[in-house]
Amino acid sequence: MKSFFVVEDHTVTNIGLQQLIAQKTGLSCTGSAVSKSEALIKIQELAAGGEDKLPDIMILDLYLGEESGLDLLREMRGNYPFIKILVYSMYAKPGILSLALEAGAHGFVEKTAPESVLITAIKNILAGETYVQQNLVSPLFTYKTMYEGLTKQEQTVLKKILERKSRVQIAEELNIVPRSVDNYISHLFDKTGCKGINEIISKFSE
């Protein structure tokens, strides 16, 4: 029997997802977590019992309190590449969707979608497909067209902004001076039509 694991920081939603997925798909739940750190510990514990104890698919929220679901997604894909990842998020703007797919997500469904969409996504992903909620596809293509018009460094800075990195963090991670970061951000304002970092985040990731 195939199985799933839920990572969602709201306990009631977490429990509801476990019950819904088990009921509608017949999959068994191998566990759940409310944070990145708890998820990694529990997955490691399952792995210690053998690869067959690990879930076939993880249902993952991207915002886990102070921790990042994107970081967890990257670690899961690096350490457990055979586990499918379906992002289930209330934030479904094209920038965050693009980041999730680039990090290795097999699918993306927003929390406002009907239950049937979530169940279809799970089934399709387990069948070896990639699933992106239909109404998110067109905005994603529009975003990618804009994104491809940026320089490589501008693309990198934009992605870090969407991950909520500060100017100082971006400068440190790219090994450049803060003034250079400001220049790249200024170029992003011109090319995206946004007037501030908060507007960029709101437009592309919230």
Side-chain angles (χ1 to χ4, degrees):
M1 179 184 291
K2 292 188 179 295
S3 59
F4 68 96
F5 189 101
V6 175
V7 184
E8 159 64 55
D9 66 332
H10 291 94
T11 304
V12 173
T13 303
N14 193 314
I15 295 172
L17 281 172
Q18 294 177 55
Q19 295 174 341
L20 172 70
I21 296 169
Q23 179 184 8
K24 297 291 186 179
T25 67
L27 300 174
S28 63
C29 182
T30 59
S32 67
V34 297
S35 67
K36 171 193 169 189
S37 51
E38 182 185 13
L40 288 174
I41 289 171
K42 288 189 173 181
I43 290 295
Q44 288 167 1
E45 290 173 347
L46 290 170
E51 188 174 310
D52 61 329
K53 300 297 183 182
L54 288 166
D56 295 284
I57 186 168
M58 173 180 282
I59 316 302
L60 173 64
D61 187 8
L62 287 183
Y63 293 95
L64 305 171
E66 297 299 315
E67 296 182 312
S68 167
L70 275 172
D71 287 342
L72 175 56
L73 171 55
R74 293 184 182 110
E75 289 198 42
M76 289 296 299
R77 297 298 296 134
N79 298 325
Y80 308 97
F82 43 85
I83 298 177
K84 309 289 188 181
I85 309 287
L86 169 60
V87 172
Y88 186 59
S89 175
M90 66 181 292
Y91 299 107
K93 292 289 181 67
I96 202 69
L97 170 54
S98 179
L99 281 175
L101 294 176
E102 184 179 308
H106 298 85
F108 198 110
V109 172
E110 57 183 331
K111 289 183 178 179
T112 56
E115 293 175 356
S116 59
V117 174
L118 174 62
I119 301 307
T120 297
I122 292 171
K123 290 179 178 179
N124 285 17
I125 290 170
L126 287 175
E129 301 175 19
T130 297
Y131 186 97
V132 175
Q133 188 176 321
Q134 187 59 43
N135 65 301
L136 303 179
V137 174
S138 180
L140 177 61
F141 278 120
T142 301
Y143 171 82
K144 284 189 172 296
T145 299
M146 179 279 297
Y147 180 82
E148 289 168 1
L150 304 176
T151 66
K152 291 294 184 183
Q153 197 75 316
E154 288 167 355
Q155 290 175 353
T156 302
V157 171
L158 175 59
K159 288 190 288 188
K160 291 186 180 299
I161 288 173
L162 297 182
E163 290 188 53
R164 309 299 202 276
K165 299 290 178 67
S166 69
R167 281 181 169 87
V168 173
Q169 287 175 310
I170 294 172
E172 290 177 349
E173 292 180 13
L174 298 183
N175 195 29
I176 58 178
V177 297
R179 181 178 292 277
S180 293
V181 176
D182 290 337
N183 288 336
Y184 288 122
I185 290 174
S186 178
H187 295 161
L188 288 174
F189 291 161
D190 291 338
K191 294 183 178 182
T192 63
C194 296
K195 296 179 174 59
I197 287 179
N198 289 339
E199 187 175 348
I200 288 179
I201 292 172
S202 176
K203 184 174 183 178
F204 298 121
S205 71
E206 286 186 345

